[in-house]
Amino acid sequence: MTSQPAPAAPGDQPDLAQLLRPVVRESSVSEVAKRLLDHLSAGNIRPGTRLPAERQLAEALGVARSSVRGALSALDVLGIIEIRPGSGSYVREGTSEFLPRAINWGLMLGQRRTRDLVEVRTYMEGVSARLAAERATDEDVARLEEHLRHMREAGSDVKAFIDADIAFHLECASIARNTVLSDILHSIRALLQVWMERVSDIEGTVSGTLCEHDAVLDAIRDRDPEAADRAMAEHMRMASARLRESVEDGAQGPS
């Protein structure tokens, strides 16, 4: 049986700022994000560790602070780090489990990749809703209604609302009865949760999300694939707009 290396003692953790080398292309957010991920994925930085300040990272990488800020914002959206206003950026708990999947999906290359993910998810969710409308049984519809009821009853419990929201989308994929589509949406579940956590405090998110899900459910209940596709496309359009607003607010936040 192969022995596992003992975890490093708190004082043994390397200083990330000292490990970094200058980035060749000064304004490249994606290059900064990849450089940071190289070190975070090495396993030497524990969950909960506070990253060096933007100024230190910018000096170590030889880039503008705006590039560092954009990279940190992208990693925050992915759930790899957590930006706490007035406190700093911290490696998230559970990063060691989520990070390999993020790397495999290639989602850490900056805002362009974030936009690409939004676009792909929009199409996947639309296909899921269309197929669900074609294939749903009364029992399937009842499960969707239950998820939507849990969303309404969540009140101020953000986690409960997000869990029910994700369950609704994964239920649609299950009802579609396409194993590949369902597997893809399940594989990015952690990212969907980070996405929804990110936008949860934007005004109108809860009421808008409920209204959008109502429209999707109505179309699936009516067994109307065209309407289901349209309703999901509108939900994705609004959800994407909320995500963009959140990312832009984060990039413009305090240093």
Side-chain angles (χ1 to χ4, degrees):
M1 182 173 178
T2 304
S3 61
Q4 297 295 321
D12 294 338
Q13 289 196 101
D15 184 335
L16 184 59
Q18 293 178 3
L19 293 174
L20 297 171
R21 299 185 307 277
V23 169
V24 175
R25 292 181 296 170
E26 178 174 336
S27 63
S28 175
V29 170
S30 65
E31 287 296 320
V32 173
K34 286 190 291 184
R35 187 67 59 81
L36 291 172
L37 278 165
D38 285 343
H39 292 283
L40 294 176
S41 61
N44 295 322
I45 311 297
R46 285 192 188 82
T49 298
R50 185 181 186 277
L51 298 183
E54 281 182 12
R55 177 183 55 77
Q56 291 177 280
L57 291 174
E59 290 175 356
L61 292 165
V63 299
R65 289 178 66 173
S66 59
S67 295
V68 171
R69 189 175 302 119
L72 293 176
S73 179
L75 297 184
D76 184 29
V77 170
L78 291 173
I80 294 167
I81 68 169
E82 177 185 4
I83 297 176
R84 303 175 189 171
S87 178
S89 301
Y90 296 81
V91 180
R92 275 183 180 264
E93 297 290 339
T95 294
S96 59
E97 299 174 2
F98 174 59
L99 188 56
R101 296 203 297 275
I103 292 173
N104 289 335
W105 276 83
L107 299 175
M108 69 295 299
L109 300 180
Q111 293 183 3
R112 174 58 186 272
R113 285 287 183 167
T114 301
R115 289 195 299 270
D116 289 348
L117 170 67
V118 168
E119 184 176 66
V120 170
R121 186 194 169 201
T122 296
Y123 284 111
M124 288 194 303
E125 295 281 8
V127 171
S128 176
R130 174 182 287 273
L131 291 177
E134 292 176 358
R135 299 169 179 175
T137 65
D138 290 344
E139 292 77 12
D140 293 331
V141 172
R143 289 197 301 276
L144 283 177
E145 291 172 340
E146 184 74 1
H147 295 314
L148 192 53
R149 183 177 67 79
H150 287 319
M151 290 174 67
R152 284 201 178 90
E153 293 176 350
S156 60
D157 188 339
V158 175
K159 183 181 184 303
F161 183 86
I162 291 173
D163 287 346
D165 190 330
I166 293 174
F168 182 97
H169 285 273
L170 296 183
E171 192 71 65
C172 282
S174 177
I175 294 169
R177 293 174 174 79
N178 182 299
T179 57
V180 173
L181 182 63
S182 182
D183 286 348
I184 290 173
L185 287 172
H186 273 81
S187 71
I188 60 172
R189 177 174 181 167
L191 184 57
L192 299 183
Q193 181 165 347
V194 171
W195 180 333
M196 293 173 192
E197 287 174 351
R198 178 86 191 204
V199 304
S200 62
D201 59 350
I202 294 178
E203 186 177 355
T205 290
V206 171
S207 59
T209 300
L210 284 171
C211 183
E212 293 152 21
H213 281 69
D214 268 329
V216 173
L217 175 58
D218 286 344
I220 293 175
R221 186 189 291 116
D222 292 342
R223 312 304 198 271
D224 188 335
E226 295 290 338
D229 195 349
R230 287 195 304 271
M232 185 63 83
E234 177 63 11
H235 171 45
M236 288 293 97
R237 185 183 72 81
M238 296 302 296
S240 300
R242 290 189 284 265
L243 178 63
R244 284 195 300 273
E245 180 181 344
S246 173
V247 171
E248 289 167 2
D249 286 349
Q252 295 169 5
S255 302

